[in-house]
Amino acid sequence: AQSVSQHNHHVILSEAASLELGCNYSYGGTVNLFWYVQYPGQHLQLLLKYFSGDPLVKGIKGFEAEFIKSKFSFNLRKPSVQWSDTAEYFCAVKPYGNNRLAFGKGNQVVVIP
Amino acid sequence: SAVISQKPSRDICQRGTSLTIQCQVDSQVTMMFWYRQQPGQSLTLIATANQGSEATYESGFVIDKFPISRPNLTFSTLTVSNMSPEDSSIYLCSAPLEAGALRETQYFGPGTRLLVL
């Protein structure tokens, strides 16, 4: 079964700092990749997704992620975070043609004003 | 985009009782999914609910504990049976709401926060 790894579960940074969250998966075939965000007290929302094409994907709120096939990675980045980016971020992987979505353990990000 | 709603949003239950969670999607979908998010943990898929057939359960989850109904293409229920404190969790339903089975994207309901005493 595929697995999804997210490291550095707790991340604390100041406003305007850059953020990068790593996501690695173990699956040899073609995959669809997602980042979801859960703001405090809110439900899980889609941040961005990758199916094919340009490996650099831009999402909402200034986030982007890069798919590096050779590294089985889909890291999330934001050049300058805001206090409102405080949230939990989940990477998820879905094998192509399969409906099962596998989640990483999540990164709890706290942005200090 | 389509909306997914869940009821109840939260509940506190006594051990040994059962709770049924409802999930409503405002568009027709073939598959709906039920997840559990235990405190401090990630989301774990419980089962896939297909309309017109029995749900498909993931390893570690059984129908007797988590019976699922899927009476039509916009609605599903998950029952947490004979609850124990270990069942305290957030239960979420999701559905793929974008066209194309090979490019489907799952969207999630707001979750049901369950506390079992």
Side-chain angles (χ1 to χ4, degrees):
Chain A
Q2 68 271 23
S3 66
V4 184
S5 299
Q6 292 180 248
H7 307 290
N8 301 324
H9 182 65
H10 290 97
V11 177
I12 301 174
L13 59 167
S14 300
E15 275 194 316
S18 64
L19 173 68
E20 180 160 0
L21 302 177
C23 174
N24 290 90
Y25 61 93
S26 63
Y27 185 74
T30 302
V31 293
N32 300 144
L33 299 156
F34 307 85
W35 277 95
Y36 288 87
V37 60
Q38 190 168 31
Y39 297 103
Q42 297 188 28
H43 66 279
L44 207 61
Q45 302 172 37
L46 181 69
L47 198 55
L48 49 76
K49 60 188 175 183
Y50 172 81
F51 289 108
S52 63
D54 188 345
L56 185 62
V57 180
K58 294 193 184 300
I60 60 171
K61 303 189 180 185
F63 284 90
E64 64 179 30
E66 185 175 14
F67 170 50
I68 303 180
K69 188 174 181 179
S70 60
K71 295 185 178 180
F72 299 90
S73 70
F74 189 54
N75 293 354
L76 181 71
R77 296 193 292 256
K78 184 168 183 178
S80 176
V81 295
Q82 300 172 310
W83 173 79
S84 57
D85 293 321
T86 294
E88 188 148 21
Y89 294 81
F90 293 95
C91 180
V93 177
K94 187 171 78 70
Y96 188 73
N98 186 317
N99 55 37
R100 287 176 174 78
L101 198 57
F103 281 84
K105 290 186 181 294
N107 296 106
Q108 182 66 56
V109 174
V110 176
V111 180
I112 301 171
Chain B
S1 60
V3 173
I4 303 176
S5 59
Q6 285 184 236
K7 288 195 296 187
S9 59
R10 58 181 66 229
D11 207 341
I12 301 173
C13 300
Q14 297 296 321
R15 67 174 68 208
T17 63
S18 298
L19 176 72
T20 295
I21 302 167
Q22 299 178 9
C23 180
Q24 178 78 49
V25 184
D26 71 356
S27 62
Q28 294 185 338
V29 291
T30 305
M31 288 183 288
M32 295 175 71
F33 304 89
W34 286 99
Y35 289 83
R36 181 173 71 182
Q37 186 179 18
Q38 292 181 302
Q41 302 291 318
S42 185
L43 283 80
T44 302
L45 181 63
I46 298 173
T48 303
N50 299 304
Q51 197 273 331
S53 63
E54 278 200 4
T56 304
Y57 289 82
E58 298 299 305
S59 175
F61 298 96
V62 294
I63 188 171
D64 290 346
K65 176 67 176 177
F66 296 102
I68 287 171
S69 78
R70 185 76 202 277
N72 58 53
L73 290 173
T74 63
F75 187 77
S76 178
T77 68
L78 170 76
T79 298
V80 186
S81 303
N82 188 25
M83 288 184 284
S84 66
E86 292 71 36
D87 295 319
S88 298
S89 187
I90 299 173
Y91 292 86
L92 301 106
C93 71
S94 75
L97 297 178
E98 292 182 359
L102 298 181
R103 297 177 69 88
E104 69 178 35
T105 301
Q106 286 190 27
Y107 290 86
F108 288 80
T112 296
R113 190 178 295 269
L114 171 62
L115 177 62
V116 184
L117 302 177

